[in-house]
Every structure is written in structure tokens, then in C-alpha cells.
């Protein structure tokens, strides 16, 4: 087993002991390995470069100068302060400027950044920045609404609270009309 994985599993054993349990009892014997495997999945976004998602098409983009919008993309991330889940949805929109991207790639982009330790504000901006950088569109809009389990299950313990963040670029930032059209479209899809 790789040294890093062994150290990670030893760390989980320490935490199990720290909370008052016995990592050697039968039910917990496989737990360190499972926890490390789960972390590898939850944080698989570190090994990935968003650039690889942007296979850009010009064919089909000739007359595409209206909003392209994906709604309700699952956001499954983790708070970098408590390593607890952030669960919600993202709405991602852009207005092409001669280039389009496979729409599933935008959902993958959300997932790539979500699978890192995050604060919701940074997650929202990173998605918008990557689209802006690789597609050079007329506008980009990203809106995320999510529940933070660190707030729902500890501290103030308010499970009902949703956090919404947005990142607007280009026309969605500069033009009230363009932004209003985007928000209307999102409302329509609810
Ligand atoms: Zn937190």
C-alpha cells in the first residue's frame, strides 16, 4: 500500500480513538480503509484540469447568441472549514460568442470544482472563471443554492437555511435586462 494511504488510514484510526471508540473492534476494522476510499472519491477534483473539459465547437455556434442554461446541476461538495457536506444545485448559463461546449461538460465542470475542499463563494467563482477563460462568451452566470451541513448539524444547528451565491460576468453583470432574462429563465424551469 502506498505510504500516503497508510498514513491517512492511521489518521482515521486516531480520530476513531479520539471520539472514544475502539478502532480494533470488528465493526470498525475496515472503516479506515473505507473512509480513505470515500475521501478519494469526494476529493477527486484535485487531480483534474478544467481545460480538459473544454472541447469547443464552432460548428453549430453560428447563430447561437442567446442564453444557454443548465439548471439543477447537483452540487456535492465539502466545506473546507469542517470537511462536512455542502449539498445543493447549480444553475450555469452563458451567451456564446462564436464557440459552444458540450453541455454535459458544464455539469462536469461543476463537479470538478465541487470535489475539492471549498467555500461556496470560491466554488461559484471558479466555475464562472473557467467558462469565461475557455469559451470567451458574451456572458457567464453561475448561481448556487446549497445547504451546509456544518451549519445544519453543529454550531447554530439550523438545517433549514439555504445559502445562495452568484457570479455574473460580461453581459449578465453589465446589463440589467440580460440578467433579468436569465433569472426569469431559471424561474421558468422550477
Ligand atoms: Zn463549515
Amino acid at each position: 500500500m502506498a505510504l500516503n494511504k497508510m498514513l491517512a488510514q492511521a489518521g482515521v484510526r486516531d480520530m476513531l480513538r479520539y471520539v472514544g471508540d475502539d478502532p480494533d473492534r470488528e465493526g470498525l476494522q475496515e472503516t479506515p480503509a473505507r473512509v480513505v476510499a470515500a475521501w478519494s472519491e469526494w476529493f477527486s477534483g484535485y487531480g483534474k484540469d478544467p481545460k480538459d473539459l473544454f472541447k469547443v465547437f464552432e460548428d453549430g455556434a453560428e447563430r447561437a447568441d442567446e442564453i444557454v442554461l443548465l439548471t439543477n446541476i447537483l452540487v456535492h461538495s465539502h466545506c473546507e472549514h469542517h470537511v462536512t457536506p455542502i449539498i445543493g444545485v447549480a444553475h450555469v448559463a452563458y451567451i456564446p460568442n462564436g464557440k459552444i461546449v458540450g453541455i454535459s461538460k458544464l455539469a462536469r465542470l461543476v463537479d470538478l470544482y465541487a470535489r475539492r475542499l471549498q467555500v461556496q463563494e470560491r466554488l461559484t467563482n471558479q466555475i464562472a472563471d473557467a467558462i469565461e477563460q475557455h469559451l470567451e462568451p458574451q456572458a457567464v452566470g453561475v448561481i448556487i443554492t446549497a445547504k451546509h451541513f456544518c451549519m445544519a448539524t453543529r454550531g447554530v444547528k439550523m438545517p433549514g437555511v439555504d445559502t445562495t451565491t452568484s457570479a455574473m460576468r460580461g453581459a449578465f453583470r453589465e446589463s440589467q435586462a440580460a440578467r433579468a432574462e436569465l433569472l426569469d429563465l431559471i424561474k421558468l424551469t422550477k
Side-chain angles (χ1 to χ4, degrees):
M1 204 187 326
L3 180 64
N4 282 346
K5 197 180 264 188
M6 282 173 64
L7 288 173
Q9 292 188 13
V12 176
R13 279 177 61 85
D14 286 344
M15 288 298 280
L16 291 171
R17 217 176 276 121
Y18 173 72
V19 298
D21 216 316
D22 170 13
D24 291 317
R25 74 177 171 84
E26 195 187 344
L28 290 181
Q29 280 174 11
E30 303 291 321
T31 297
R34 288 197 197 95
V35 170
V36 170
W39 270 52
S40 301
E41 194 176 333
W42 292 334
F43 303 114
S44 58
Y46 285 109
K48 293 179 182 160
D49 187 341
K51 176 164 56 77
D52 298 336
L53 295 174
F54 284 92
K55 181 173 161 31
V56 163
F57 301 96
E58 291 178 15
D59 192 8
E62 304 84 8
R63 297 185 58 232
D65 58 358
E66 301 279 340
I67 294 174
V68 178
L69 168 66
L70 279 78
T71 51
N72 300 314
I73 300 166
L74 176 68
V75 172
H76 179 199
S77 191
H78 284 81
C79 148
E80 70 184 25
H81 303 133
H82 303 95
V83 201
T84 45
I86 302 171
I87 306 274
V89 291
H91 311 307
V92 175
Y94 74 105
I95 300 177
N97 188 14
K99 290 188 238 173
I100 53 177
V101 66
I103 46 175
S104 69
K105 300 300 192 295
L106 295 176
R108 284 185 193 283
L109 179 69
V110 171
D111 205 47
L112 185 154
Y113 284 119
R115 287 178 187 275
R116 297 178 181 183
L117 288 164
Q118 283 291 7
V119 295
Q120 187 174 325
E121 294 86 340
R122 183 199 300 118
L123 174 61
T124 310
N125 278 319
Q126 283 178 327
I127 297 163
D129 290 345
I131 296 170
E132 190 170 43
Q133 185 188 340
H134 294 288
L135 273 186
E136 298 169 320
Q138 299 180 54
V140 182
V142 178
I143 298 171
I144 295 178
T145 297
K147 288 193 190 302
H148 291 239
F149 280 49
C150 56
M151 187 174 172
T153 65
R154 54 159 295 291
V156 292
K157 298 197 188 77
M158 291 189 183
V161 177
D162 289 321
T163 302
T164 298
T165 46
S166 72
M168 299 289 166
R169 307 279 192 271
F172 289 144
R173 190 178 180 97
E174 283 135 33
S175 157
Q176 174 96 52
R179 189 164 58 244
E181 187 184 344
L182 171 61
L183 298 179
D184 279 348
L185 270 181
I186 291 171
K187 241 180 265 164
L188 264 181
T189 65
K190 286 208 163 148

